[in-house]
């Protein structure tokens, strides 16, 4: 059986696809599994052992920029995909994605599986499924395998990412230059798209002081470069600056790209991140993560998007992250700091 998985979302969403890929490989070991991703998220699964071939398409729109050559490359790629004669094309996502469905239909597979409520597209799918109203995004995507005769796994499968050696080495060099060591710091990051899910500079300063005083753990303070109104990808410079202005010696700033940042996360004792792609990667790291959520009635809920992993937890505020009490955060983070992971666990 030849299967094409289509995943066109952000990097955190791609990471959440890895349990489905692992379960598919275990359930159908002789299947030929292909994955179609875009040039933004494909690196997340570039070395995933459960994929036989990774197809990458260029995005036509990046921010406000339109790339006409990308449109022609996509058309050529669709022709190539049609020549593969897939048995199944699957639009991977926990809810309806019209763009992913249309891309799956263009491939010409014998069966097309997707969550779909659109009546016009439903009639074109061999296996239209109704999107669940609950469950985590990982479980929703695992549910897409049921039409293939694959039941849900008996035990949880967590997202997995193998950090390349070059970024491990970057982290070692970075912490050594600052007289730090692996596992002796906490990563505290920004990065939520919604401002109500960001900690305030005052919270950051209080939390970092607590980690130093109680556990002698320094903090790597991490954020995405750029202004909040950046049309391509909003940054967190405005929030980070008040923290930097305090010149706290046990706060080490890291303003940089995602791959080196992942190296620092992988060498941390644990991490704290608002709902973001960084949060999901930190959940897959050895130190785990405490995710921060707020206002789930009007924005994505941790029940669907919370971090999943052996060392993963989250706090949810009713309206904004600043409503989270320090005491509650300290209690949760202490559990992560001292939680032991069984040696047999495959992170």
């Amino acid at each position: 059986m030849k299967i094409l998985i289509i995943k066109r979302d952000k990097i955190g969403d791609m990471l959440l696809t890895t349990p489905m890929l692992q379960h598919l490989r275990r359930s159908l070991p002789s299947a030929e599994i292909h994955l179609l991703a875009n040039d933004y998220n494909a690196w997340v699964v570039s070395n995933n052992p459960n994929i036989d071939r990774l197809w990458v398409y260029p995005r036509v729109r990046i921010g406000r920029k339109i790339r006409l050559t990308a449109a022609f490359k996509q058309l050529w790629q669709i022709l190539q995909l049609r020549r593969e004669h897939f048995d199944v094309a699957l639009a991977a996502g926990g809810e309806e994605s019209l763009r992913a469905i249309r891309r799956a239909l263009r491939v010409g597979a014998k069966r097309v599986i997707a969550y779909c409520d659109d009546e016009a597209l439903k009639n074109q799918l061999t296996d239209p499924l109704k999107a669940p109203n609950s469950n985590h995004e990982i479980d929703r995507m695992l549910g897409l395998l049921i039409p293939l005769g694959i039941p849900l796994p008996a035990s949880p499968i967590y997202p997995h990412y193998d950090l390349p050696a070059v970024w491990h080495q970057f982290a070692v060099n970075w912490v050594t230059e600052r007289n730090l060591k692996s596992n002796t710091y906490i990563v505290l990051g920004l990065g939520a798209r919604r401002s109500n899910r960001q900690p305030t500079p005052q919270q950051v300063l209080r939390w970092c002081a607590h980690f130093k005083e109680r556990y002698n753990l320094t903090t790597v303070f991490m954020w995405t470069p750029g202004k909040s109104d950046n049309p391509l990808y909003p940054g967190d410079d405005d929030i980070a600056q008040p923290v930097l202005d305090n010149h706290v010696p046990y706060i080490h700033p890291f303003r940089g790209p995602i791959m080196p940042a992942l190296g620092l996360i992988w060498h941390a004792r644990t991490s704290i991140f608002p709902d973001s792609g960084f949060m999901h990667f930190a959940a897959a790291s050895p130190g785990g993560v405490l995710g921060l959520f707020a206002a789930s009635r009007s924005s994505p809920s941790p029940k669907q998007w919370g971090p999943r992993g052996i060392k993963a937890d989250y706090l949810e505020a009713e309206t904004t992250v600043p409503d989270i009490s320090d005491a509650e955060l300290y209690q949760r983070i202490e559990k992560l700091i001292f939680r032991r992971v069984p040696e047999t666990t495959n992170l």
Side-chain angles (χ1 to χ4, degrees):
M1 181 183 294
K2 184 180 283 190
I3 302 171
L4 177 66
I5 308 294
I6 297 169
K7 190 64 177 173
R8 55 171 302 279
D9 302 299
K10 301 178 181 66
I11 57 174
D13 301 66
M14 177 62 85
L15 184 66
L16 296 183
T17 309
T18 58
M20 183 187 72
L21 294 171
Q22 182 177 331
H23 189 48
L24 177 59
R25 172 62 74 199
R26 287 177 178 176
S27 302
L28 299 176
S30 62
E32 187 177 325
I33 302 172
H34 296 225
L35 190 142
L36 175 61
N38 60 49
D39 54 9
Y40 175 70
N41 66 8
W43 63 268
V44 177
V45 291
S46 60
N47 295 311
N48 191 292
N50 300 306
I51 299 172
D52 294 300
R53 181 171 179 180
L54 177 62
W55 300 74
V56 182
Y57 67 87
R59 290 167 294 162
V60 173
R61 181 187 294 274
I62 300 179
R64 296 172 182 171
K65 184 179 179 181
I66 302 295
R67 301 188 298 178
L68 294 178
T69 56
F72 291 108
K73 288 180 180 179
Q74 285 192 27
L75 290 173
W76 173 245
Q77 186 182 67
I78 289 295
L79 293 174
Q80 291 178 300
L81 288 167
R82 291 183 70 87
R83 294 193 187 106
E84 293 289 330
H85 302 291
F86 288 103
D87 297 293
V88 178
L90 190 153
E95 49 199 22
E96 181 184 68
S97 172
L98 297 180
R99 290 183 180 180
I101 292 171
R102 292 188 181 103
R103 196 176 294 272
L105 289 169
R106 293 189 194 108
V107 171
K110 295 176 184 177
R111 295 178 66 181
V112 180
I113 303 171
Y115 289 123
C116 184
D117 295 321
D118 185 271
E119 292 299 328
L121 286 179
K122 262 186 182 181
N123 297 329
Q124 301 179 55
L125 298 175
T126 58
D127 297 86
L129 305 177
K130 184 173 179 59
N133 293 323
S134 59
N135 299 335
H136 195 275
E137 183 71 4
I138 291 174
D139 301 321
R140 294 183 181 204
M141 285 191 283
L142 286 166
L144 288 166
L145 302 180
I146 292 176
L148 298 178
I150 302 174
L152 296 176
S155 56
I157 303 175
Y158 297 124
H160 181 80
Y161 179 71
D162 287 318
L163 187 74
V166 62
W167 303 120
H168 276 296
Q169 190 58 52
F170 169 86
V172 171
N173 295 342
W174 194 91
V175 299
T176 300
E177 289 170 1
R178 290 154 181 80
N179 296 317
L180 302 175
K181 294 181 180 179
S182 298
N183 209 41
T184 64
Y185 62 87
I186 290 176
V187 168
L188 175 52
L190 306 177
R193 288 295 186 95
R194 296 167 176 81
S195 59
N196 66 336
R197 295 195 171 192
Q198 294 275 28
T200 66
Q202 293 74 25
Q203 283 178 305
V204 170
L205 291 167
R206 291 198 307 271
W207 297 348
C208 293
H210 177 82
F211 303 149
K212 183 63 177 177
E213 292 168 7
R214 184 167 179 82
Y215 310 111
N216 196 30
L217 293 173
T218 56
T219 299
V220 172
F221 179 48
M222 186 177 292
W223 72 96
T224 304
K227 296 292 185 179
S228 59
D229 59 354
N230 187 313
L232 183 59
Y233 195 94
D236 305 305
D237 286 343
D238 295 338
I239 299 176
Q241 192 58 50
V243 175
L244 303 181
D245 290 341
N246 281 267
H247 303 288
V248 179
Y250 48 81
I251 297 179
H252 300 270
F254 181 80
R255 179 186 185 270
I258 185 169
M259 294 303 290
L262 294 184
L264 295 174
I265 291 170
W266 250 248
H267 284 256
R269 185 67 172 267
T270 192
S271 299
I272 301 173
F273 277 100
D275 175 25
S276 61
F278 272 125
M279 179 195 70
H280 292 298
F281 278 94
S285 74
V289 73
L290 178 65
L292 305 179
F293 286 79
S296 295
R297 292 181 180 178
S298 57
S299 58
S301 166
K303 292 180 180 179
Q304 182 180 358
W305 295 103
R308 281 280 185 96
I310 294 293
K311 293 181 66 175
D313 195 3
Y314 68 84
L315 279 171
E316 182 181 8
E318 185 172 349
T319 55
T320 66
V321 163
D323 295 333
I324 293 175
S325 72
D326 290 351
E328 190 172 12
L329 183 133
Y330 298 156
Q331 182 183 40
R332 297 292 187 91
I333 204 68
E334 182 166 303
K335 291 180 180 179
L336 290 178
I337 288 172
F338 295 108
R339 182 179 297 175
R340 293 180 178 271
V341 177
E343 293 184 2
T344 55
T345 299
N346 179 16
L347 286 177

